[in-house]
């Protein structure tokens, strides 16, 4: 824990956030109040060293803990070189107490950004675009409507250095954001949104956070990825979901992963989800169109291990230089990120991945570039310890002796 907090301090993390994180680590590693939840080992759970199993059991239980936000159910999976920790906990349906299953599909939220950015870089390798292209070269009509639209580059959109306002946030003029507003308006959860409506909201109500590429500035923007999704569709002449399928999901054998642009269907088998404790605001019917290129993929734990391992190993690209470009980071204002590249975040020493949050899920997918260990975890609320999941899990592995600095 001390190593992590020192890293955050050196990264100029605000002091109050370091205090919050210190309290969070104290709860996780020194013990929050017990959570009485059904815990089940997955069929792939095998050969886990006892200290690692104990440490990760603690993390899994605390993902559910009301001390840390909490969730009705969660899954934690960590693949090691010769072992695989994989367990589920809690319930997928609080009404009937059905246990959470390890292979239940989930909404990956902003982990989708890694996929969108990967397609963007594949198109660059093929000479169909460049991340240095200005947005106006591909979407001139939309670019003309946005402040600084004529100078914003695709790379700035991918790295959150464009300054473009995020349509998901409440606007400066007081208008509720197109996702934030659903927190106070349950009917908005089911609303179908088009990418164009997202951009229209930003044009009408948003203001740039800063001028594109301004030194030292960074601001997370889902709008940036909406614009990238539209660029990909124009260049490919295909729906974004088809590009993701043909370029990533099918080649990697991710048969249970897809982009969904509506309310989830019952046959998808997703668990019931909730905004936050006390879990009286159900968000199971959240319309994924509101995330689209920034956060609308549905996947499984196993499929996400396949993806993050392939990405970090460079198997999605033709040239190693492409992954290096993706991993070239800028500093951020997020206390859980050491740096942010092109849709790929540095979450700790040699640890690369992303996080995902929807109105009903919090998730984490990451892999170590040097040890062969990958992490996938998710829980059925938008407020739980997985907001700092990679830090918590990697520190647990370190204290159990599975990682050496």
């Amino acid at each position: 824990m001390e190593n992590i907090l020192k890293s955050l301090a050196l990264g100029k993390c605000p002091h109050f956030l370091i205090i919050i994180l210190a309290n969070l680590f104290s709860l996780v590693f020194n013990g929050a109040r017990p959570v009485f939840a059904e815990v089940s080992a997955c069929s792939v759970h095998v050969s886990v060293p006892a200290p690692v199993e104990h440490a990760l059991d603690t993390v899994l239980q605390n993902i559910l803990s009301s001390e840390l936000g909490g969730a009705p159910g969660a899954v934690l999976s960590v693949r090691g070189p010769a072992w695989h920790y994989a367990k589920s906990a809690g319930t997928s349906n609080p009404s009937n107490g059905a246990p959470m299953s390890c292979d239940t599909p989930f909404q990956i939220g902003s982990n989708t950004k890694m996929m969108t950015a990967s397609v963007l870089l594949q198109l660059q390798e093929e000479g169909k675009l460049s991340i240095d292209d200005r947005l106006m070269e591909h979407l001139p009509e939309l670019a003309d409507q946005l402040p600084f639209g004529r100078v914003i580059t695709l790379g700035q959109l991918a790295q959150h250095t464009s300054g473009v306002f995020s349509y998901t946030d409440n606007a400066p003029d007081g208008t509720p954001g197109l996702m934030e507003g659903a927190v106070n308006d349950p009917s908005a959860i089911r609303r179908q949104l088009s990418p164009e409506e997202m951009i229209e909201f930003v044009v009408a109500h948003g203001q740039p956070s800063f001028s594109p590429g301004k030194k030292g500035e960074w601001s997370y923007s889902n709008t940036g990825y909406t614009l990238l999704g539209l660029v990909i569709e124009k260049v490919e002449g295909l729906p974004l979901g088809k590009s993701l399928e043909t370029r990533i999901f099918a080649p990697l054998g991710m048969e249970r992963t897809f982009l969904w642009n509506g309310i989830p269907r019952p046959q998808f088998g997703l668990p019931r989800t909730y905004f936050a404790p006390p879990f009286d605001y159900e968000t199971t019917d959240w319309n994924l169109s509101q995330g689209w290129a920034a956060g609308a993929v549905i996947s499984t734990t196993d499929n996400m291990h396949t993806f993050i391992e392939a990405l970090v190993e460079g198997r999605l690209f033709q040239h190693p230089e492409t992954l290096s470009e993706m991993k070239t980071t800028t500093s951020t204002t997020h206390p859980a990120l050491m740096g942010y590249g092109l849709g790929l975040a540095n979450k700790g020493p040699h640890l690369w991945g992303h996080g995902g949050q929807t109105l009903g899920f919090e998730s984490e997918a990451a892999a170590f570039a040097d040890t062969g260990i990958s992490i996938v975890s998710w829980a059925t609320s938008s407020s739980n310890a997985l907001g700092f999941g990679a830090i918590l899990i990697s520190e647990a592995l370190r204290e159990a002796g599975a990682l050496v600095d």
Side-chain angles (χ1 to χ4, degrees), residues 312-333:
V312 171
E313 292 169 10
R315 288 188 278 119
L316 289 176
F317 306 121
Q318 299 175 27
H319 310 294
E321 295 81 12
T322 303
L323 179 60
S324 296
E325 187 172 27
M326 193 178 197
K327 293 168 69 174
T328 300
T329 63
T330 188
S331 59
T332 80
T333 55

Side-chain angles (χ1 to χ4, degrees), residues 139-280:
L139 303 173
E141 293 183 3
L142 288 180
D144 274 340
Q145 297 177 53
L146 292 167
F148 304 113
R150 288 183 164 271
V151 297
I152 293 169
T153 69
L154 304 187
Q156 289 167 347
L157 293 171
Q159 198 164 38
H160 302 299
T161 56
S162 70
V164 172
F165 180 75
S166 183
Y167 69 89
T168 53
D169 296 340
N170 293 332
D173 65 5
T175 304
L178 296 183
M179 278 183 64
E180 292 287 347
V183 175
N184 298 311
D185 179 10
S187 65
I189 288 177
R190 298 174 60 88
R191 179 183 176 186
Q192 185 78 24
L193 281 181
S194 68
E196 290 75 18
E197 286 176 308
M198 300 172 191
I199 306 304
E200 287 169 6
F201 177 87
V202 172
V203 171
H205 303 288
Q207 296 177 4
S209 302
F210 46 82
S211 58
K214 184 176 181 180
K215 186 175 180 180
E217 296 290 346
W218 185 86
S219 182
Y220 195 85
S221 175
N222 289 302
T223 306
Y225 274 78
T226 299
L227 291 165
L228 291 177
L230 289 170
V231 169
I232 290 169
E233 287 197 335
K234 185 171 183 180
V235 171
E236 290 266 77
L238 296 169
L240 177 62
K242 189 64 175 177
S243 292
L244 292 173
E245 178 187 349
T246 58
R247 290 179 170 275
I248 298 176
F249 306 153
L252 293 180
M254 297 169 65
E255 296 179 351
R256 299 183 65 194
T257 303
F258 55 96
L259 182 78
W260 188 247
N261 208 35
I263 296 170
R265 295 176 178 171
Q267 56 264 43
F268 293 168
L270 295 173
R272 291 176 66 175
T273 60
Y274 301 84
F275 182 67
F279 310 127
D280 54 359

Side-chain angles (χ1 to χ4, degrees), residues 1-2 4-9 13-30 68 333-337 385-392 395:
M1 179 179 73
E2 292 179 0
I4 296 292
L5 293 177
K6 286 179 182 177
S7 298
L8 289 168
C13 178
H15 181 65
F16 76 92
L17 286 174
I18 294 177
I19 293 173
I20 291 172
L21 285 169
N23 291 334
L24 178 63
F25 282 121
S26 178
L27 283 168
V28 171
F29 295 111
N30 298 326
L68 307 174
T333 55
H334 195 295
L337 302 180
L386 283 175
F388 294 93
I391 296 176
L392 298 175
E395 186 65 11

